[in-house]
Amino acid sequence: MDFGLNEQQEMMQTLAKDFLAAEYPDKVLKTMVKDEKGYTPGLWKKMQEMNLMGLSLPEQYGGVGDFLDLIVVLEEMGRVCFLSPYFATVALAGAVLIEAATDEQKSPYLTAIAEGKKIFTVAITEKSGKYTPDAIQTKAAAQGTDYLLKGSKLFVPDAQNADYIICAARTSDAQDAVTLFVVPADSSGLTITPLLTIGGDKQAEVVLDNVKVSADNILGGVNYAWPAVEKALQRANTARCAEMVGMAEQALKLTLDYAKERIAFGHPIGAFQAIQHRCADMFIDVESSRFATYQAAWRINSGLPAAKEVTIAKAWVSQASRRVMASAHQVHGAIGFTEDHILHYYTKRARSYEFSFGGADAQLEKLVELYI
């Protein structure tokens, strides 16, 4: 297994790094965190022109590159704490459509994503916060050729920006009887309420009050969507890990720069062994997190079973990211907590992302249950 970047991935990395450096400096991040949408149509259009929207999607629907290309770009986005509906649309909804949709459904939906014309998101989580089929309590009742959806979804990423919400609902009393519906965001009876998040990322509560959805909007078949959801969540968790790796590496860079310039007792604090060892521990956490992430991504990209590797990656990256951010603040001291400094944005966002699609504790429990 060679996890080194090939020529195409190096090109994507450079392209993304240069684009984000020019378009997303710290002042833009601070503005977007406070912005209701968290992105601008102008930036979205530039991403579209760079073919970023099609990353990892099948070529016949306008896609370019593969899953590893997407991981490389998301790591660069993590470095700048990037905000936009990109993850929800390409990494999350794109994965669900790839795994669950029929060929006839993939054509219009994936093409719309690849062309940057529509924003998608996925609504799975409910009040339990779990990513298991029994946690899905939203009901979908058949009514002629339509279904009526009733229930509440929490922590739906970028729902307030979405054109379509892919909603998981229960279609029978059987434990695994989950079905996926593509719901237009402007449907009657659907209410989207933005949530105040610690990381400034855009999440919402989505309430469905007898929302009518055509049976044609069911992805795949009725009652059998959960295996596809699990495979899509493997992709989403790995993609989230890539963002967290980028955040952790940037936190390390900020810490190293500060340790070189902050003077104490007549010397840069980076000259003291305690600081040096703390930075070395941070470096180990960043590098091991990258290895775990790329191992999982490589298996997904190769079409190999990846459930174990993804679970290990999410558990490790979540814990390692927490340690990196804590050490970064220890070295920075009080300045790292001020509004003017950028570090706290990374800390808050990494903490938020840790819990998306199942946090470290959930991943550890899964490892014990399935592999130990």
Side-chain angles (χ1 to χ4, degrees):
M1 294 179 290
D2 180 9
F3 300 144
L5 302 185
N6 61 30
E7 185 177 348
Q8 177 177 316
Q9 290 155 4
E10 287 179 349
M11 182 183 69
M12 290 300 305
Q13 183 183 56
T14 301
L15 183 71
K17 188 188 295 287
D18 291 346
F19 172 74
L20 292 167
E23 300 291 341
Y24 212 82
D26 291 348
K27 63 180 181 180
V28 174
L29 165 62
K30 294 177 180 180
T31 300
M32 290 300 101
V33 165
K34 297 176 181 179
D35 185 82
E36 183 179 334
K37 289 182 174 293
Y39 81 107
T40 63
L43 183 60
W44 190 257
K45 190 176 190 315
K46 291 178 181 179
M47 294 168 65
Q48 171 194 347
E49 292 169 350
M50 294 173 63
N51 288 330
L52 293 180
M53 304 305 182
L55 282 180
S56 83
L57 303 183
E59 289 184 11
Q60 62 265 42
Y61 309 118
V64 294
D66 57 24
F67 187 61
L68 280 170
D69 292 320
L70 176 62
I71 292 298
V72 168
V73 169
L74 286 171
E75 185 177 342
E76 293 305 318
M77 288 181 173
R79 290 183 206 277
V80 298
C81 225
F82 190 67
L83 266 179
S84 84
Y86 183 80
F87 185 96
T89 300
V90 178
L92 180 55
V96 171
L97 289 165
I98 288 171
E99 297 294 344
T102 64
D103 291 339
E104 292 76 13
Q105 292 170 326
K106 287 177 182 177
S107 182
Y109 293 142
L110 290 178
T111 300
I113 290 176
E115 293 177 350
K117 293 181 176 178
K118 297 295 181 182
I119 294 173
F120 283 72
T121 190
V122 180
I124 297 174
T125 320
E126 300 189 10
K127 63 180 180 180
S128 70
K130 295 181 178 179
Y131 290 87
T132 54
D134 58 289
I136 306 298
Q137 297 300 314
T138 295
K139 305 289 186 182
Q143 187 184 69
T145 59
D146 299 320
Y147 280 80
L148 294 180
L149 274 61
K150 188 174 181 61
S152 178
K153 296 291 185 179
L154 289 172
F155 316 119
V156 183
D158 287 284
Q160 54 268 60
N161 296 317
D163 298 295
Y164 294 100
I165 300 173
I166 301 174
C167 182
R170 181 162 298 283
T171 36
S172 92
D173 293 332
Q175 180 176 340
D176 294 342
V178 175
T179 303
L180 292 171
F181 296 84
V182 180
V183 184
D186 59 358
S187 297
S188 176
L190 188 149
T191 304
I192 298 172
T193 305
L195 300 174
L196 182 62
T197 66
I198 186 174
D201 49 320
K202 308 309 172 186
Q203 301 181 36
E205 178 187 24
V206 176
V207 176
L208 304 109
D209 186 8
N210 289 322
V211 175
K212 183 181 289 188
V213 182
S214 169
D216 294 336
N217 285 26
I218 292 175
L219 294 182
V222 177
N223 292 337
Y224 300 106
W226 193 254
V229 171
E230 285 191 318
K231 291 193 71 175
L233 288 177
Q234 290 178 21
R235 287 174 172 260
N237 256 324
T238 306
R240 192 61 99 195
C241 285
E243 289 186 306
M244 294 170 70
V245 168
M247 291 178 194
E249 181 151 47
Q250 184 63 16
L252 172 59
K253 181 182 183 303
L254 291 170
T255 302
L256 292 174
D257 290 345
Y258 183 75
K260 292 173 184 177
E261 65 185 32
R262 174 71 167 90
I263 304 298
F265 306 105
H267 299 280
I269 61 173
F272 299 112
Q273 189 181 66
I275 300 297
Q276 293 173 354
H277 285 190
R278 186 176 287 272
C279 290
D281 285 337
M282 294 169 69
F283 179 77
I284 291 171
D285 273 334
V286 170
E287 289 299 307
S288 57
S289 293
R290 178 177 289 108
F291 181 86
T293 298
Y294 276 82
Q295 182 185 38
W298 177 82
R299 291 189 67 87
I300 291 173
N301 202 51
S302 301
L304 298 172
K308 180 172 67 174
E309 288 75 15
V310 172
T311 306
I312 290 172
K314 186 63 187 303
W316 178 260
V317 174
S318 296
Q319 295 174 323
S321 176
R322 202 185 308 171
R323 291 192 295 267
V324 168
M325 298 304 171
S327 290
H329 280 285
Q330 285 288 327
V331 175
H332 277 83
I335 193 173
F337 291 91
T338 64
E339 282 294 323
D340 290 337
H341 204 279
I342 201 67
L343 178 60
H344 69 93
Y345 288 92
Y346 287 83
T347 304
K348 292 174 182 177
R349 185 78 60 79
R351 190 64 167 158
S352 174
Y353 284 0
E354 174 186 338
F355 293 101
S356 59
F357 318 119
D361 289 344
Q363 305 301 329
L364 293 173
E365 289 174 7
K366 187 185 297 185
L367 285 172
V368 170
E369 179 182 350
L370 298 178
Y371 304 108
I372 300 177

